Each structure stands twice: as C-alpha cells, then as structure tokens.
Amino acid sequence: MKVNSTELQNNFGKYLMLAGQEEIIITRNGTEIAKLTAMKEATVTNIDGTNTVHENASDYGYGGKKATYEEFLQLQQKSEERYEYIDGEIYWLASPRTAHQIAITELLVIFYNTFQGKDCTPMVAPYDIELRRTPENINIVQPDLMIICDLEDHLNENDYYKGVPKLVVEVLSKSTQRKDLIKKLDLYMSCGVNEYWIVNPDNQEVTIYHFEEKNISHYTTFKKSETAQSFIFEELRADIDRIFRL
C-alpha cells in the first residue's frame, strides 16, 4: 500500500498496525521516500512501484498470482471458479462459511427494506465491479454486498454495470481479511466509493469507513448491542445483534 507522508503522520498508529500485514510505501509529492515493514517478514520483494504479495499461496487459494488483465479475462472464461483481479494480481474466492452468509443475508434484507422504492439498489455477490485507479489499471472485484445509485446510467450493451457503487460491504474471513482490510480498503477509497463496511463475524463488530476526496474522512466501529449507522445514508441502520444472530 502507498500512503502520502501527511496521511501517515495523521494516522500513524493505524498504519503501524497495518505494516504488520503488508508493506507500507510512504510518498511525498508522488515520490517514494521510505517504507514501513514488519520485521517478521521472511522475504521482501522490490519496492520500485510493483505490487507485492506477502501472504502465502494458501491464504487466498490462488496465491495472489501476477497476471495481465488479458490473462485474467482468459482465466475467467475458462473456469467456473470465482476470481478477483486487484493491482495486477489474481485472487481466488473461496466458498463462504455459515456466519458469513447469515451476516450478508441479514444485511441484504435491511438494505432492501431501506431502499425499496428509492433510486438506490442493493446488489449482492457474485457481481463483478470494475474499478480503475488509472485508465490502464483495471481491477475486477466482487463485493459481498453493495449499494448502487446510478445503475441505469452505467449499464453497457451487455447488461454489465460499469459505474462505482456508493457503498460496499465485505464480510471478513481468515482467508480474505488481509485483502479486505488493506488492499480493498485502499482500492475502494482510491476509486470513488463513498462508504465501506467491514463486517467481522469473529469479534462481531462492524467498522464503517467514510471516504471523501479519496481519503478516509471518518470511521467508526460498532459492537454488540449497538446499531451501525451509515455516514452517507441517514436512513440506513443495522442492529449488530441481528447481523451476528448465531
């Protein structure tokens, strides 16, 4: 992950913890000037702007395989499995567990009831979302749940959505938490998503990030017996006890 020096100074504690999971490249005026990295990392690869995967292959199934976008599309066409493509790396999506599915089902019902008859539409995985950091840097992800408010305006001739969701939700699992907490947070923030919900069945918490101008504006963690409240949708609330009812 790359962060500018001002963002690092303002949120040093957060990035210090993240450095235990992934190398943090520090920039100033667009130039790489330093890095934060955990001492426990067994190997360190290049830091010249290339993407690096520190997780073992078993963490994501497909192991964060380096590939071109064209190679990713070929894999998609040949395989029945689900994959994501983030910053030039392919990730296999494992089958979710029961707690994951219950959380998504409960949230989908809440989202559907909240937005019924309104301009915004809840959508659930599998549903490919194309996000671009630059015109050349194409990423394909499948958020567990999302709110789309410009669906009709961004459907192409093949009925695929090509816009950016207002809100995305990811439910953590042991195999995806590094990707969801670091890579996807940075991707969603950088590509115009306004709000990101990270749902953690293990500690039964929901953390909501509000992004403005491609930076973290606010974030709050909601725990048992509390009600999660969206930053951008005043009417959107979710009881934590209902999401984690098992």
Side-chain angles (χ1 to χ4, degrees):
M1 177 191 292
K2 292 185 180 182
V3 299
N4 62 54
S5 56
T6 301
E7 167 69 13
L8 180 72
Q9 290 172 356
N10 293 338
N11 299 279
F12 183 76
K14 180 184 75 172
Y15 288 109
L16 189 62
M17 290 187 293
L18 291 179
Q21 301 174 333
E22 178 163 312
E23 190 171 81
I24 307 296
I25 307 299
I26 305 160
T27 65
R28 179 180 295 153
N29 298 324
T31 301
E32 296 177 4
I33 60 172
K35 67 177 179 178
L36 286 175
T37 185
M39 293 181 62
K40 66 180 181 179
E41 291 291 342
T43 59
V44 177
T45 56
N46 296 330
I47 63 165
D48 57 355
T50 57
N51 295 304
T52 303
V53 178
H54 292 276
E55 295 79 10
N56 294 326
S58 60
D59 286 340
Y60 294 154
Y62 204 71
K65 177 180 172 60
K66 298 275 188 178
T68 66
Y69 180 62
E70 289 71 24
E71 289 171 333
F72 167 72
L73 293 179
Q74 292 175 4
L75 177 65
Q76 266 196 327
Q77 294 171 359
K78 294 177 181 179
S79 175
E80 297 297 324
E81 301 286 351
R82 294 171 54 211
Y83 298 95
E84 293 183 314
Y85 184 70
I86 303 175
D87 293 333
E89 297 159 0
I90 298 174
Y91 298 97
W92 172 63
L93 298 177
S95 178
R97 297 187 178 183
T98 301
H100 178 287
Q101 293 301 86
I102 289 177
I104 285 299
T105 300
E106 292 293 343
L107 281 170
L108 178 59
V109 172
I110 293 169
F111 283 19
Y112 176 81
N113 290 335
T114 299
F115 292 100
Q116 190 172 21
K118 299 181 181 179
D119 293 335
C120 297
T121 304
M123 301 290 281
V124 68
Y127 191 66
D128 282 348
I129 296 296
E130 179 183 297
L131 298 175
R132 295 176 181 248
R133 294 186 186 271
T134 67
E136 297 78 22
N137 188 333
I138 304 173
N139 301 270
I140 303 295
V141 292
Q142 291 190 3
D144 289 317
L145 184 61
M146 68 215 83
I147 300 295
I148 296 174
C149 298
D150 56 359
L151 186 62
E152 294 183 2
D153 295 335
H154 289 87
L155 288 178
N156 67 11
E157 63 276 8
N158 295 316
D159 197 36
Y160 289 108
Y161 175 68
K162 294 299 180 180
V164 178
K166 294 282 286 185
L167 183 155
V168 295
V169 178
E170 298 286 3
V171 179
L172 299 184
S173 65
K174 291 182 179 179
S175 64
T176 66
Q177 61 182 352
R178 293 182 184 178
K179 181 177 60 170
D180 293 340
L181 288 170
I182 300 173
K183 287 185 176 292
K184 282 193 168 182
L185 187 151
D186 182 62
L187 180 67
Y188 294 148
M189 178 177 62
S190 301
C191 293
V193 172
N194 296 130
E195 188 165 295
Y196 181 29
W197 291 35
I198 297 178
V199 179
N200 190 335
D202 286 341
N203 60 19
Q204 299 192 337
E205 293 179 352
V206 175
T207 299
I208 301 180
Y209 288 88
H210 181 208
F211 302 138
E212 290 184 311
E213 298 181 355
K214 298 184 178 181
N215 277 299
I216 298 174
S217 174
H218 305 88
Y219 68 94
T220 303
T221 296
F222 299 92
K223 303 179 180 181
K224 292 284 288 181
S225 302
E226 296 180 345
T227 299
Q229 170 66 61
S230 168
F231 287 106
I232 64 173
F233 297 111
E234 183 179 354
E235 69 275 26
L236 180 57
R237 303 176 183 86
D239 290 340
I240 300 300
D241 290 347
R242 176 175 174 180
I243 298 172
F244 306 115
R245 59 182 177 82
L246 282 186

